[in-house]
Amino acid sequence: MITTPMDQLASLRIGLVEYISPDKIEVQLDIESPDSVALNTGTPRSFPRVNGYVLIPIDLGFVVGQVSWITIQRSPYPKRKGFQDFGLIDLPFPLRRMELQPVGTLCTKEDRFKFKRGLDTFPSVGDIVILPTDEQLRSIIESGENRRVHIGNSPLVGNAKVMIDPDRLFGRHLAVLGNTGSGKSCSVAGLIRWSLESAKRNIACGSTNVNSRFIVLDPNGEYSKAFADKSDARIYSVNIEAGDGKRQLQVPLWLWNTDEWCGFTKASPKTHRTTIVHALKSVRSGIHFKELTKERELASHVGTLINALKEYVRRGTPWGIFPGPKNFRESLNKWNNGLRPSDSYSQELNDSISNLNTYVNDLELPRNKPYANIDYTRQEVNSLLDFLNNIFHIAGGKEEESLPTDEDCPIPYVGDNFIRSIEANAEILKSTD
């Protein structure tokens, strides 16, 4: 009869910790530990077996480990407690080892066990490993609050119902792993169906409308039949047949990347692929190969000036070593002379250009004196950048036009402009064949 906690732990002991790391724990099983069925946990239970749970006592409760593999190690010397007789000849005795994956901590709270994922304290080498009782095992399996979706039964606890909290399940990344034919697709389809059915049962006023969306990418066609009875399930397919209830899958052409366009057009790697890459960069940058208004032409020009100014700042040219500031001053004067009000522009745009001209002239006035210091300050360059950005936006420029654009950025464009871009770039690159 067990009378003390220490006696209870001793009765559940199965081995000792021999190796420990942040992601695995290796255990040497005792000779006396169960080899097929454990009878000292309250009910008969299979042990040892992969995916089973064991506990390692620590200060705050127990470390919960899940068995990942079990092996037999041939020992040249017998290791049996209380037996030492060197006059007898002993044969090599098999020792069993197993590896655990630490999954969480089982704490005692108000005479109840509470499981939480993660470890605050790791065990040490030499700590004992014990079997969990039925109550402890149930606390591990049934952990969490708001568990309302039934997803299956656990063979570890007498086929008890396994309930989950869908908010926690779908609020983080989830992987369903298994061998071929083990039921991965059925599990995913079941999770979706069981979650929707649970939501309908718990929705107020008896309404059957559930504001949930699931997108399933099904390249092998496994899930269409699983949701065929759902009236609100929309099934899209590349190849459709009359009467199959599927819809034609339509993908916007701007979602295609460079490899997909080259594969579709069978572009050669050296010439045609280069043309497509340049064409995609052009249309994703907002360049339209058609007649532009004067203001849009000005916006494209000012966008290049903004990028050039940012490059000057990156190099430190406006305040760097001579002749850097001198070269920057010459470029600034050329930019200023090329930006002048016009009758083709709106009054707001003309005012913005005039403000820039006035600001640049004020910057140049003290630098025209003999032996003047022509270095520019950071505040002066930032103000210049603000004037250029103001002109750019008033002229109708878009933010993405002033940024370096990759050919595979998901920026929408229309097909007609893409075709004109291919023709223009093919002519420029001499790849019209």
Side-chain angles (χ1 to χ4, degrees):
M1 181 177 180
I2 299 174
T3 57
T4 65
M6 295 301 296
D7 292 337
Q8 184 180 14
L9 288 178
S11 68
L12 297 173
R13 168 175 166 161
I14 56 172
L16 293 174
V17 175
E18 286 199 343
Y19 172 87
I20 184 167
S21 69
D23 59 345
K24 70 176 181 178
I25 300 173
E26 292 186 6
V27 176
Q28 178 76 62
L29 293 178
D30 293 337
I31 300 291
E32 296 82 3
S33 64
D35 56 5
S36 59
V37 179
L39 301 175
N40 53 346
T41 58
T43 57
R45 187 187 308 161
S46 298
F47 180 85
R49 62 175 175 177
V50 174
N51 291 334
Y53 292 103
V54 295
L55 304 179
I56 304 174
I58 56 174
D59 297 339
L60 302 178
F62 302 90
V63 169
V64 180
Q66 189 172 27
V67 180
S68 57
W69 57 255
I70 306 168
T71 185
I72 291 180
Q73 177 183 6
R74 299 296 176 180
S75 173
Y77 303 103
K79 295 183 180 180
R80 288 175 282 178
K81 292 181 180 179
F83 185 85
Q84 291 183 352
D85 191 342
F86 297 101
L88 297 178
I89 298 177
D90 289 306
L91 296 177
F93 204 87
L95 301 177
R96 291 174 297 160
R97 298 172 60 88
M98 65 182 184
E99 181 184 282
L100 309 178
Q101 299 291 333
V103 296
T105 306
L106 190 65
C107 303
T108 305
K109 186 176 182 180
E110 298 177 356
D111 297 331
R112 296 179 59 186
F113 294 103
K114 184 177 182 181
F115 173 77
K116 68 172 183 178
R117 292 199 172 273
L119 273 66
D120 297 324
T121 303
F122 281 88
S124 182
V125 174
D127 287 349
I128 66 171
V129 181
I130 64 174
L131 290 172
T133 63
D134 287 346
E135 181 183 2
Q136 292 170 332
L137 195 55
R138 190 174 295 106
S139 300
I140 299 171
I141 300 298
E142 299 178 354
S143 62
E145 300 177 354
N146 196 26
R147 299 181 300 108
R148 61 182 186 274
V149 179
H150 177 214
I151 64 171
N153 298 76
S154 173
L156 299 175
V157 195
N159 289 327
K161 289 186 177 180
V162 177
M163 310 287 288
I164 63 167
D165 177 4
D167 297 331
R168 293 182 59 191
L169 181 69
F170 298 115
R172 61 188 70 185
H173 294 294
L174 173 68
V176 179
L177 308 175
N179 296 328
T180 302
S182 60
K184 298 184 298 295
S185 301
C186 292
S187 298
V188 172
L191 284 174
I192 296 175
R193 294 184 67 98
W194 301 326
S195 300
L196 292 174
E197 292 169 359
S198 175
K200 289 181 179 180
R201 288 195 298 268
N202 291 276
I203 203 167
C205 303
S207 175
T208 58
N209 295 325
V210 179
N211 188 22
S212 299
R213 300 290 185 273
F214 291 91
I215 300 176
V216 180
L217 303 179
D218 183 21
N220 297 324
E222 297 177 299
Y223 295 93
S224 57
K225 294 182 180 180
F227 301 103
D229 60 325
K230 296 289 185 180
S231 59
D232 53 351
R234 301 177 183 178
I235 302 175
Y236 297 88
S237 178
V238 176
N239 301 317
I240 60 174
E241 299 178 0
D244 61 1
K246 299 180 181 179
R247 306 184 184 187
Q248 181 67 51
L249 178 64
Q250 298 179 349
V251 180
L253 58 88
W254 58 265
L255 278 178
W256 286 21
N257 59 26
T258 305
D259 293 334
E260 290 166 336
W261 272 115
C262 291
F264 175 74
T265 58
K266 298 181 179 180
S268 60
K270 293 184 178 180
T271 56
H272 297 155
R273 181 182 177 87
T274 304
T275 302
I276 291 178
V277 168
H278 282 77
L280 287 173
K281 282 186 176 181
S282 300
V283 293
R284 294 192 193 277
S285 299
I287 299 176
H288 299 278
F289 291 86
K290 58 183 179 181
E291 185 177 355
L292 301 177
T293 64
K294 296 296 182 180
E295 292 190 357
R296 288 293 292 127
E297 288 181 353
L298 178 65
S300 298
H301 173 64
V302 174
T304 61
L305 298 183
I306 292 173
N307 288 332
L309 179 58
K310 290 180 178 179
E311 181 62 21
Y312 272 136
V313 172
R314 188 186 69 82
R315 296 179 180 178
T317 304
W319 46 77
I321 301 175
F322 185 86
K326 177 178 177 295
N327 295 336
F328 176 75
R329 182 186 180 189
E330 293 176 354
S331 297
L332 182 57
N333 288 327
K334 289 180 181 179
W335 297 350
N336 189 43
N337 293 332
L339 293 174
R340 288 291 183 261
S342 171
D343 295 336
S344 303
Y345 303 152
S346 65
Q347 184 61 42
E348 182 183 12
L349 182 56
N350 282 328
D351 292 342
S352 180
I353 295 174
S354 298
N355 292 335
L356 173 68
N357 297 148
T358 302
Y359 179 73
V360 174
N361 292 333
D362 292 341
L363 287 179
E364 291 304 303
L365 188 61
R367 291 174 171 81
N368 288 328
K369 298 178 181 180
Y371 307 106
N373 186 356
I374 63 174
D375 289 358
Y376 293 82
T377 66
R378 179 181 177 185
Q379 290 75 16
E380 290 174 337
V381 175
N382 287 340
S383 298
L384 178 62
L385 184 61
D386 291 339
F387 279 109
L388 289 174
N389 279 322
N390 189 41
I391 296 174
F392 177 76
H393 291 297
I394 294 177
K398 299 179 181 179
E399 191 68 28
E400 58 266 21
E401 295 179 23
S402 62
L403 299 174
T405 305
D406 183 78
E407 64 271 15
D408 291 332
C409 289
I411 299 176
Y413 59 84
V414 296
D416 293 341
N417 194 40
F418 182 47
I419 294 175
R420 287 192 291 267
S421 177
I422 292 178
E423 294 172 349
N425 281 279
E427 184 175 353
I428 294 172
L429 298 172
K430 306 300 183 182
S431 58
T432 56
D433 295 338

